Structure formats: C-alpha cells, structure tokens
Amino acid sequence: MATRGEATAVGRLAGTVERLRLELERAQAHSAGRAVVEMGVGVLVERLRCGPTEAAGQLESLAEQAGVSALALAADLVNQAAADQISALARAFVEGAAVPPDEPDEPVAVRLRSTEADALAGGDAAAAARAMLDHALRPLGVTAVAVWAAHPDLSLSLAGSAGFHEEEARRWRHVPPGVPTPARRALDERAAVGYPTLAEASLPSVGQHEIRGGRLAVPAGKGGRLIGVLELCWPEQLPELSQPLQRQFEALAEVAAATLESAGGREPRVPEAVDAQFDELRQLTDGLLDPCMVLRVAPDGDDLPPPFVIRHVNPAFVDFAGRPTGAITGARLLEAYPLAAEPGGLAEKVEHVFATGEPFRTPDLRLAALVDGVPLVTRAQVSVSRHGSHVAVVWRLDDGTPRVARLLQHAQRLGRIGGFEEDLRARRIAWNDTLYELHGLPSTAPPIALDQLPDHAHPDDRHALGRFLRTLLHHHRPASTAFRLQRPDGVTRHIRVVAEPVHEPGSGLRTVRGAYQDISAQHWTEVALAATRDQLAQSEQQAAERSRLALQLQHAIMPPARGPLDLPDLRVGVRYRPAEKGHLVGGDWYDALPLPSGDVLLCVGDVAGHGIEAATGMVALRNALRGLAATGAGPAQLLGWLNSVTHHLTDNVTATAVCGLYRPGARRLRWARAGHPPPVLLRQGRATTLPQLGGILLGAVDQADYEEGELVLEPGDQLVMYTDGLIERRDESFQASLAGLMALAEQAGGASSGGADGLEEHLDHLLRYSNADTDDDTCLVGIAVR
C-alpha cells in the first residue's frame, strides 16, 4: 500500500507530465504559426521591395500598432494576397458574419492558415490530417479526421488520418467499390453529407467501433474535379452546422484536395508488416468480454525501466476515466495513466511480468487516473500476462466507475466548477484547467493562494471572505461563501467557493481541498426572477381587477338566476352559468323582451374571447339588438344590421347569435342564426333541432345575408336556445355533442312535470347533467308554449 507521501509525489509527477504535454502542443502550434508568419513576411517583401529582415521588423511593428499578434497580422496579409476559400472565409468574418457560440477565441483565418502551413510542410495527407485536427478541428469538438483519396474504379483509399489508432487505420486503408460509406455518399451526391451519429446511419467507416458519434463527409476537389473526401468525427451528436462552420470545413477540404493532388492520389505507405504473433494476440483479445489492452515497449524506448505503449485495445475496453478509446490507443502507458507509476501500481506489475514472464493476477488492484486534474480511483480485478514482445492487461471494473468519471467531466464542464488543492506548509497549489478559466488567467500563471483571495474580490465581499478563511484555516472546519471575483481582464464574476481541511495524524492541518464554481448565470437569473415576480404580482393584481369589473358588468346585465316571464301564450325561463374559473369571464348573453309591435324578442349570443373586452362587446351587441328590434324588422334583417354594427362599431369583435320573434296568438316563431348552434325543440317527448339555416358569424365581413325560418309552435312545446358552453366537449365532434343534448332534453322532459309548469325543472336538469368539459360560460333561454 502506497504511503500518503508517495501518492503525493506520484501526483506531482502526473502534473509534470501533463504540463509537458501541454508545452509540446504549444510548441507544435508555434511551429505552424512561424510558417504563417514567414508567409506574411514574404508578402511584405514583395509589397515593400525590401529584404526579409526588414520585412520581419515591419511585421512586428505593424502588429504592435494594430494591437494584434504578429501571427494574426501575417494571416491577414496572406488572406489579402490569396484568392482561395480561406481568404474568402476570413473576409466574411471581417464583414460581420455571425460567429458560432462555440467558436474558439483564436481567429478562424489564423487557425486555417496554420493548418495549411503545417500540411504543406508535411507534404502528405497524413500530415495534413494531423494539422487539421490539431489547429482547426479539435477546438470545434472533432476528435478524429480521415482524408480519403477517390480512384477511377470508384474505390477509396485512406490517404491520411489522425485520431484513430494505427491498427484501425491499417484495416481501412482500402475500401472496394460499392461499399456505402459516408465518404462514398458525399462523392455520389457531390455535396457535404452529415449524420447525427454513425450508429444511426448504419454505414461502415473507419473508427466505427470507437467513435460512434456524429460524422460529416465533405467532398474535396480541385478545378471542379472531385479527388477525395474529408471525413470528420465527433464523439457525441453531430453539432448544428452553421454557415460559418460549413465554410470552414469546405476550406479544410480544399487543403486536403491540394495535398491529395500533390501526392497524385496514391495510396498511403503501408506501415511495417504486422507480425503474426501480434495479429493472433489481437484476434484473441478482441474475443474477450472483459476490457483488455495490449502493450509493447516503445520503439525508441532505451530507458530502464522500459516505457510501454498501448498498441491495441479490444472492443470491450472501457477506460475507467471516461475517455474515448481513441485517446488511449497509441499513448504511452504513463501518459494515459500517470498515477499508475505509484509504488505497487499497474506500471510496476507490467514491468515485472515483461521482465520475468510470470503472469500476475489479483482480485483487487488500485487503479488511478486524472480526470481534468482531479484524481479518480477505482478497484479492479486485474490480470497481466506476457505474449512474446507484448503484454496483455485485462481488467474487470466496477460497472459504475466509467459512468462516474464521465459524469464528473460533464459536471465540471457544465457546472463551471474548478478544483484545487493547497499545501499550506510547502505553499504548493494545484489547480485544474477550469479554475484558470474561471479566474481569467493563462495556464502558465501562478495560482492564487486562499489567503490572497480577498485581494482579488470586490471590496464589499472581503468581510465575507474573512469569515470564510477564519472558519477554514483557524477553526479547521469546512466552509463556503459567495463573492464577486474581479479578474485581471476587468470582468467581474459571481463565484462560490467551498473548501475543507485535510487533517493528517500527528501533523495537524497541512492541506486544504476545495472547488470554485461560477454562479454568475444563477445570480443574474435570480435578479431577473425577482424583477419578474414583481411584474407578475402587479400584472396579476391588474388582471384580477379587470376580471372583477367584467364579472360585475356581466352580472349587472344578466343575473345568474332570474324568475320566469309570463307572456301571452308562453312562459320564458332564462339561466346563466358563469365559467368555473373566475378569470375566464366570457361574452355569453341572452334576452327575452316584449316589443311595441306585440312580438316577443328571444335571443342568445356568444362573443368570442374572455375578459373585459368580451364583456363590453356583449353589452354593446345586446343593447344594439334591443334598439334594432324596435323597428319591427324580421330576425334575418336584424342579424344583418347587427353584423354591420359588430364589424364597424366594435374593435375586432366576432360573435355568434340566434334571434327569434314570437307572435302570440298565432304561436308563430320566425328565427335566424349567425354561426350559432340551432335551437332544440321538445314536442311530445321527442327532441329535434331546428333546421341549420345559413348565416355567417357576426363581424367577420362588412355585409352578410341571413336565411330566415318559420315555425308554428303547439301547446306543450318546449324550445331551448343555448350557447355552446352547454354542449362542447374536447373529445367529441359537434354533431355528437348535439345528439347528446337532444337525448338529455328528452330525459329532462320526462323528469319534469311537462309544459309551462315544468320549464324551470327542465332548464335546471339541462344545466345539472350537461357533460360539457370546456369550462365556458353557458346561457339558456327556455320557451314553453301554453
């Protein structure tokens, strides 16, 4: 078992390895950048007619005056002198084309020119693929690149690739004609072809078992002739392809085409032949159900102990740190798992097995890895065996370990959480990459110690940070607080910091571990929610007041209950049931009024909408109809006039209505309808609807004609005029709802005493047993003939 001091030493070693890897990446980027700068110097030599030394000095001076880097200025000069896809794309960005939200900070022209320079320096498609992935595509989430050369016999060859391990690229070096791959589809359609995931597309392609996410195949051509395809691979779903992104990929396809053309479209050199022993071992491990990786001594590994390279992983391999297999294959064992160097760790077991040939097996071995700078530890059953010049490592993990690692990575990224560890005595501080981003510092900057944190906070928050530090450093208790971090770039972020002391037996407090989280979005969301709550409270108060006024207006015109009217030859009963929800005050209305002509006006209407507008519209139409009815005109003419009133004298109001004029003595009813359900007649226990007379709803057009019907009623008849709130159901058609009303009317007629004396019971029964479910207002006018 490793001591705490040994584990700390291994952790520092792992951090050193990570820093060296980042420095190597920066050196590679610098090399490509120098090539772009040299091209920019060449442009100035031609324009200024000066020597290279003077031109280089001019470039530095101009860049300093413009406030940009020499690399960015050189890329601009090359773009101005060139007439290719990259220069066109750069001009589009300068002219204000939208930049995708995930676009890296480095200018797109710089990244593309660096890619082009690296590709030209490499001289083949493999170098071009590596350059595209390192400079242009990895910042956009791409994890692997393939450059395919197209041949006249419709076959494809893998001219170059990056991000796939060696064995996978070798297996796909030639694709025969007729194989439906994404690259073949792009050539056939002569356009870029994208797939959300390769698994859903059901198309074979390189890396299909290890990189199953989104794929994009972009045709690569020169002079109108397609000579290959650039295929890009994402580990997750294919992102949304904005126009600027598509143009970047097209520019990279042009770089790939130039590389293929210079190489004459020949197939790549086949790597050294695979020895038969390794081939057999690979086939054997691919059949295992447990994760397995095959190691060999690095070709240039003359050190002792020898460095091991992960040459192959089987399809069942699962990295317990949650990384894709493409990030593992081809890496050195201690680069992929630096914490394996701890005493008694995996690296020691592999070295022993390779040196002695004795297999090693254990049901419980500690495995450790760094996930974004945070150590992740698991226990596994491990078996290590030597096979000639190779070592096979088989492990069986706890099923939840890789999932926890992936969750940790995603949680840190999405939650903008950065972890830290501070050795209080040695004054050593370890930050992960996210923490540098939160503080707005480059990864080469020294981390900020906890006791220096108040110097980087808003003055008003220094008192809260003082309490946090006293609790943590003096009382040795876990603590947390929120403060405003003032970054060097002038940006203020709202940060929450949590930390806990790590007590060591016999030595007191030495180490503090914790995390920072950027809660700026949460803070401003809370501010916006507070303002929104105030606005909602005011809006709700105004809405309640409007609803109260509308309800008062409605009840003043139409009380919910009203006694029967005894008129010559008939009795009239009315019912009004408001909506169940108080804020849904509607525009239903009714009227029963003796006229100077001796006729009786009977009407029901429904104004569209709810609220004060519907209520005031209802009052306007009801009063207008009363005034128009005094002229002695018939119901069809009255609705025609009312339609004009609705169209011209109200603001965007539409309504439906039924209007009837009853002549006592003759018991004759003339009636018309404007888009309203027809009245229901109950005669001798049988219910029927009056004919569906033609008539458009009120207010829809300027002029409208309405049909008029006539009916002679008999003693004992009951006629019901109603609004749709009585019958409407969300799950039934209008005809079905109407049939249900007629059945209910027959039932109500049988339950009541019949005739005029049973009218009130009839109306109450209809309201009580109606199966409508729209929560709308309901008006009823019942007419019983005596």
Side-chain angles (χ1 to χ4, degrees):
M1 179 64 70
T3 65
R4 181 177 297 274
E6 292 171 335
T8 304
V10 171
R12 289 199 297 271
L13 175 61
T16 302
V17 171
E18 178 67 12
R19 284 195 297 274
L20 290 175
R21 184 184 64 80
L22 293 175
E23 288 178 7
L24 177 60
E25 291 180 357
R26 284 194 290 269
Q28 292 171 342
H30 178 72
S31 174
R34 287 305 310 168
V36 176
V37 170
E38 289 171 3
M39 287 191 288
V41 169
V43 173
L44 288 180
V45 167
E46 189 275 333
R47 289 186 178 179
L48 302 178
R49 300 285 190 257
C50 62
T53 303
E54 184 180 352
Q58 287 289 340
L59 180 66
E60 293 289 344
S61 176
L62 291 172
E64 184 178 355
Q65 294 175 19
V68 298
S69 66
L71 176 60
L73 181 58
D76 286 341
L77 291 172
V78 174
N79 289 331
Q80 293 172 16
D84 57 3
Q85 280 266 36
I86 299 177
S87 59
L89 185 58
R91 285 193 296 272
F93 271 71
V94 171
E95 291 166 4
V99 179
D102 57 351
E103 179 69 25
D105 294 335
E106 188 177 28
V108 61
V110 174
R111 292 189 288 108
L112 295 180
R113 287 296 176 200
S114 300
T115 301
E116 184 183 47
D118 239 7
L120 291 174
D124 60 12
R130 289 192 298 271
M132 284 187 275
L133 184 61
D134 292 340
H135 298 302
L137 294 174
R138 205 184 300 278
L140 300 178
V142 177
T143 56
V145 180
V147 178
W148 301 93
H151 303 291
D153 62 351
L154 300 184
S155 66
L156 296 171
S157 60
L158 187 58
S161 65
F164 306 105
H165 59 78
E166 179 181 307
E167 294 302 319
E168 179 70 4
R170 184 181 295 112
R171 283 195 291 267
W172 282 88
R173 65 178 179 270
H174 180 75
V175 179
V179 179
T181 64
R184 185 74 259 168
R185 292 281 174 83
L187 288 172
D188 292 341
E189 298 184 16
R190 303 183 68 83
V193 177
Y195 300 95
T197 64
L198 186 63
E200 294 176 8
S202 300
L203 293 176
S205 189
V206 60
Q208 58 188 354
H209 297 299
E210 59 184 23
I211 306 176
R212 301 169 60 84
R215 290 289 174 110
L216 179 68
V218 185
K222 294 288 288 184
R225 180 173 57 91
L226 296 182
I227 59 176
V229 176
L230 175 66
E231 184 171 348
L232 313 177
C233 312
W234 281 265
E236 305 294 341
Q237 195 90 356
L238 180 70
E240 181 179 353
L241 298 179
S242 61
Q243 186 176 4
L245 277 180
Q246 293 178 20
R247 297 187 64 183
Q248 289 187 55
F249 298 146
E250 291 169 2
L252 292 173
E254 188 175 274
V255 173
T259 306
L260 290 173
E261 188 177 47
S262 64
R266 61 179 182 269
E267 294 190 15
R269 296 187 305 273
V270 179
E272 59 183 7
V274 183
D275 63 87
Q277 188 182 56
F278 169 71
D279 217 16
E280 292 178 1
L281 180 59
R282 178 176 55 79
Q283 294 178 23
L284 174 65
T285 57
D286 284 353
L288 297 178
L289 299 179
D290 288 324
C292 177
M293 58 183 177
V294 178
L295 311 177
R296 70 170 177 180
V297 177
D300 55 348
D302 298 328
D303 302 332
L304 287 176
F308 289 91
V309 172
I310 303 173
R311 188 175 184 184
H312 175 69
V313 295
N314 69 344
F317 180 82
V318 176
D319 173 49
F320 63 89
R323 294 166 294 188
T325 56
I328 304 299
T329 308
R332 296 197 175 197
L333 176 64
L334 292 183
E335 290 177 356
Y337 301 102
L339 298 182
E342 63 187 2
L346 180 63
E348 184 178 296
K349 306 304 180 186
V350 169
E351 292 163 6
H352 177 79
V353 170
F354 183 76
T356 65
E358 300 175 0
F360 168 78
R361 294 180 180 84
T362 179
D364 185 29
L365 182 68
R366 181 179 184 270
L367 299 178
L370 290 174
V371 181
D372 196 17
V374 179
L376 178 73
V377 179
T378 187
R379 316 293 299 193
Q381 302 177 37
V382 177
S383 171
V384 185
S385 57
R386 176 176 169 179
H387 302 268
S389 60
H390 295 82
V391 176
V393 178
V394 181
W395 60 37
R396 180 174 295 174
L397 300 167
D398 172 20
D399 291 340
T401 302
R403 183 174 65 254
V404 170
R406 288 193 295 271
L407 289 175
L408 176 59
Q409 288 177 320
H410 291 312
Q412 288 181 326
R413 177 176 56 84
L414 296 176
R416 294 184 60 79
I417 299 174
F420 71 90
E421 181 177 282
E422 183 170 339
D423 188 328
L424 300 176
R425 297 181 184 176
R427 303 299 292 177
R428 285 194 299 267
I429 306 170
W431 279 9
N432 67 354
D433 294 339
T434 306
L435 206 48
Y436 284 99
E437 296 176 8
L438 292 184
H439 283 260
L441 296 173
S443 57
T444 56
I448 299 172
L450 282 174
D451 56 5
Q452 298 173 357
L453 202 55
D455 297 334
H456 300 269
H458 191 280
D460 295 344
D461 296 333
R462 291 173 184 172
H463 183 64
L465 280 172
R467 289 198 305 269
F468 164 77
L469 293 174
R470 283 194 300 274
T471 302
L472 179 67
L473 302 179
H474 296 288
H475 300 296
H476 298 177
R477 295 199 305 266
S480 67
T481 190
F483 67 98
R484 284 163 289 182
L485 175 69
Q486 294 183 324
R487 305 194 327 181
D489 56 7
V491 175
T492 298
R493 308 297 296 175
H494 290 261
I495 301 293
R496 174 169 292 280
V497 58
V498 294
E500 63 177 2
V502 180
H503 299 280
E504 296 184 5
S507 61
L509 177 63
R510 175 167 184 165
T511 305
V512 174
R513 296 195 186 107
Y516 292 82
Q517 182 180 19
D518 187 345
I519 59 171
S520 302
Q522 175 186 346
H523 170 78
W524 293 117
T525 299
E526 291 175 354
V527 172
L529 283 175
T532 302
R533 280 193 295 267
D534 293 341
Q535 294 176 354
L536 284 176
Q538 183 179 2
S539 299
E540 289 176 357
Q541 182 179 0
Q542 293 175 349
E545 184 66 19
R546 288 167 60 88
S547 296
R548 185 182 64 81
L549 291 175
L551 193 60
Q552 289 179 345
L553 176 62
Q554 194 175 52
H555 286 179
I557 301 298
M558 294 180 304
R562 180 176 171 183
L565 299 175
D566 288 318
L567 300 172
D569 296 340
L570 52 84
R571 171 173 288 183
V572 178
V574 293
R575 292 290 187 276
Y576 170 69
R577 180 178 62 192
E580 292 186 10
K581 297 179 180 178
H583 66 280
L584 295 179
V585 177
D588 289 15
W589 53 279
Y590 62 84
D591 211 352
L593 177 69
L595 298 175
S597 62
D599 290 342
V600 177
L601 173 66
L602 304 167
C603 58
V604 166
D606 185 0
V607 174
H610 296 88
I612 190 68
E613 292 82 4
T616 54
M618 171 269 294
V619 173
L621 294 187
R622 183 173 183 265
N623 291 339
L625 184 59
R626 279 193 168 194
L628 294 171
T631 62
Q637 182 63 64
L638 291 178
L639 289 183
W641 289 338
L642 192 60
N643 172 73
S644 297
V645 171
T646 307
H647 187 77
H648 292 289
L649 300 184
T650 57
D651 185 16
N652 299 321
V653 171
T654 57
T656 64
V658 170
C659 177
L661 292 175
Y662 178 76
R663 176 60 59 88
R667 296 193 177 90
R668 184 183 65 181
L669 175 70
R670 290 187 299 155
W671 70 287
R673 57 183 288 271
H676 201 85
V680 172
L681 174 65
L682 183 64
R683 176 175 289 176
Q684 297 179 356
R686 289 291 303 269
T688 58
T689 62
L690 299 192
Q692 293 269 16
L693 301 179
I696 192 171
L697 77 165
L698 303 173
V701 295
D702 185 11
Q703 299 290 333
D705 295 325
Y706 295 89
E707 293 184 30
E708 186 174 301
E710 185 173 320
L711 174 69
V712 176
L713 300 177
E714 300 176 0
D717 286 351
Q718 288 187 358
L719 187 70
V720 178
M721 303 163 69
Y722 54 91
T723 57
D724 55 10
L726 181 68
I727 63 172
E728 274 191 341
R729 286 191 60 83
R730 297 181 179 91
D731 57 351
E732 284 186 357
S733 66
F734 173 75
Q735 293 300 329
S737 298
L738 194 58
L741 175 61
M742 290 190 290
L744 184 62
E746 293 178 356
Q747 180 185 7
S752 66
S753 56
D757 296 333
L759 178 62
E760 297 294 306
E761 300 175 28
H762 188 187
L763 296 180
D764 290 338
H765 190 278
L766 290 179
L767 280 179
R768 185 178 303 117
Y769 295 104
S770 166
N771 64 352
D773 63 355
T774 58
D775 296 334
D776 203 357
D777 290 14
T778 301
C779 280
L780 278 176
V781 174
I783 304 161
V785 181
R786 293 185 288 194

XYZ file of all heavy atoms in Angstrom, residues 43 58 125 156 160 163 201 204 224 233 277 316 342 362 383 396 439 494 511 532 543 571 586 597 626 650 774:
191
model
N 5.022 38.218 -48.146
C 4.107 39.169 -48.775
C 4.662 40.589 -48.641
O 4.633 41.388 -49.587
C 2.702 39.058 -48.152
C 1.795 40.165 -48.674
C 2.089 37.698 -48.456
N 9.119 45.120 -39.930
C 7.901 45.861 -40.263
C 6.662 45.117 -39.780
O 5.707 45.721 -39.280
C 7.831 46.083 -41.786
C 8.797 47.118 -42.311
C 8.403 48.530 -41.894
O 7.261 48.790 -41.546
N 9.371 49.447 -41.908
N -0.910 13.471 -46.994
C -2.254 13.581 -46.424
C -2.261 13.271 -44.936
O -3.097 13.788 -44.191
C -3.216 12.654 -47.167
N -11.941 3.674 -52.740
C -11.389 4.731 -51.902
C -10.176 4.186 -51.163
O -10.125 2.991 -50.822
C -12.419 5.223 -50.878
C -13.688 5.895 -51.407
C -14.675 6.105 -50.260
C -13.356 7.217 -52.055
N -4.749 9.556 -45.451
C -4.193 10.087 -44.215
C -5.260 10.156 -43.152
O -6.456 10.290 -43.463
N -6.239 10.729 -35.082
C -7.244 10.460 -34.057
C -7.656 9.006 -33.985
O -8.337 8.609 -33.036
N -26.795 6.013 -38.626
C -26.695 5.989 -40.084
C -26.549 4.575 -40.629
O -26.858 4.323 -41.803
C -25.504 6.838 -40.532
N -20.826 1.722 -42.549
C -19.492 1.407 -42.036
C -18.507 2.514 -42.372
O -18.613 3.183 -43.392
C -19.146 0.110 -42.781
C -19.886 0.232 -44.085
C -21.166 0.962 -43.777
N -12.934 21.935 -60.112
C -14.203 21.309 -60.482
C -14.161 19.792 -60.504
O -15.170 19.148 -60.815
N -15.086 13.405 -37.452
C -15.750 12.546 -36.469
C -15.881 13.282 -35.144
O -14.903 13.846 -34.644
C -14.963 11.250 -36.248
S -14.464 10.416 -37.774
N 2.525 -12.893 -34.622
C 2.229 -13.097 -33.209
C 1.277 -12.025 -32.679
O 0.317 -12.326 -31.961
C 3.533 -13.096 -32.414
C 3.349 -13.488 -30.946
C 4.652 -13.439 -30.184
O 5.308 -12.394 -30.171
N 5.032 -14.560 -29.568
N -14.269 -4.452 -26.128
C -14.908 -4.363 -24.808
C -14.186 -3.402 -23.874
O -14.613 -3.204 -22.742
C -14.969 -5.749 -24.168
N 2.650 4.854 -9.266
C 2.780 4.790 -7.818
C 3.328 3.426 -7.405
O 3.165 2.431 -8.121
C 1.426 5.049 -7.157
C 0.369 4.029 -7.488
C -0.991 4.423 -6.951
O -1.104 5.503 -6.367
O -1.939 3.647 -7.144
N -4.693 -10.579 -9.665
C -5.152 -10.134 -8.346
C -6.629 -9.783 -8.422
O -7.097 -9.235 -9.434
C -4.359 -8.913 -7.853
O -4.854 -8.505 -6.566
C -4.495 -7.737 -8.801
N -5.532 -8.886 -14.544
C -4.688 -9.998 -14.979
C -3.694 -9.445 -15.996
O -4.084 -8.779 -16.954
C -5.538 -11.099 -15.613
O -4.708 -12.082 -16.219
N -11.325 -6.046 -14.895
C -12.782 -6.065 -14.739
C -13.128 -5.004 -13.708
O -12.776 -5.099 -12.534
C -13.273 -7.440 -14.295
C -14.787 -7.525 -14.121
C -15.228 -8.930 -13.824
N -14.959 -9.821 -14.946
C -15.139 -11.139 -14.901
N -15.563 -11.714 -13.785
N -14.885 -11.873 -15.968
N -10.783 32.187 -13.332
C -10.060 33.360 -12.839
C -9.540 34.238 -13.966
O -8.963 35.297 -13.697
C -8.897 32.918 -11.948
C -9.310 32.497 -10.573
N -9.208 33.312 -9.472
C -9.868 31.348 -10.119
C -9.650 32.684 -8.397
N -10.055 31.481 -8.759
N -19.474 36.199 -10.439
C -20.005 35.782 -9.141
C -19.568 34.332 -8.899
O -19.891 33.438 -9.689
C -21.522 35.905 -9.110
C -21.992 37.328 -9.117
N -22.378 38.000 -7.981
C -22.104 38.223 -10.143
C -22.727 39.241 -8.297
N -22.576 39.400 -9.607
N -3.141 20.440 4.454
C -3.680 20.557 3.102
C -5.126 21.017 3.157
O -5.866 20.655 4.079
C -3.590 19.202 2.371
O -2.238 18.752 2.405
C -4.035 19.325 0.921
N -39.111 39.782 -12.292
C -40.272 39.179 -12.953
C -41.393 38.908 -11.963
O -42.569 39.089 -12.272
C -39.846 37.859 -13.640
O -38.800 38.148 -14.560
C -41.024 37.241 -14.379
N -54.962 42.031 -13.580
C -55.859 41.070 -14.216
C -57.038 40.749 -13.312
O -58.182 40.605 -13.778
C -55.089 39.789 -14.564
N -94.428 30.860 -21.585
C -93.620 31.209 -20.416
C -92.157 31.103 -20.845
O -91.765 30.147 -21.510
C -93.916 30.274 -19.266
C -92.960 30.443 -18.076
C -93.354 29.626 -16.890
N -94.539 30.169 -16.238
C -95.086 29.692 -15.120
N -94.540 28.633 -14.541
N -96.153 30.232 -14.587
N -66.723 35.501 -19.651
C -66.980 35.387 -21.084
C -67.959 36.415 -21.606
O -68.358 37.353 -20.911
N -94.366 46.134 -31.174
C -95.178 45.529 -32.230
C -96.050 44.396 -31.722
O -96.911 43.888 -32.448
C -94.263 44.999 -33.340
O -93.407 43.985 -32.827
N -81.486 45.208 -29.077
C -82.736 45.715 -28.487
C -83.245 46.936 -29.263
O -84.426 47.050 -29.585
C -82.513 46.088 -27.025
C -82.546 44.918 -26.080
C -82.632 45.389 -24.637
N -82.951 44.309 -23.734
C -83.353 44.474 -22.477
N -83.468 45.716 -21.997
N -83.637 43.459 -21.713
N -67.268 48.035 -33.328
C -66.519 47.387 -32.249
C -65.115 47.070 -32.745
O -64.842 47.063 -33.940
C -67.218 46.090 -31.788
O -67.360 45.223 -32.915
C -68.580 46.391 -31.202
N -65.567 22.172 -21.250
C -64.686 23.277 -21.664
C -64.637 24.408 -20.653
O -63.936 25.392 -20.879
C -65.166 23.842 -23.016
O -66.530 24.279 -22.897
C -65.063 22.785 -24.095
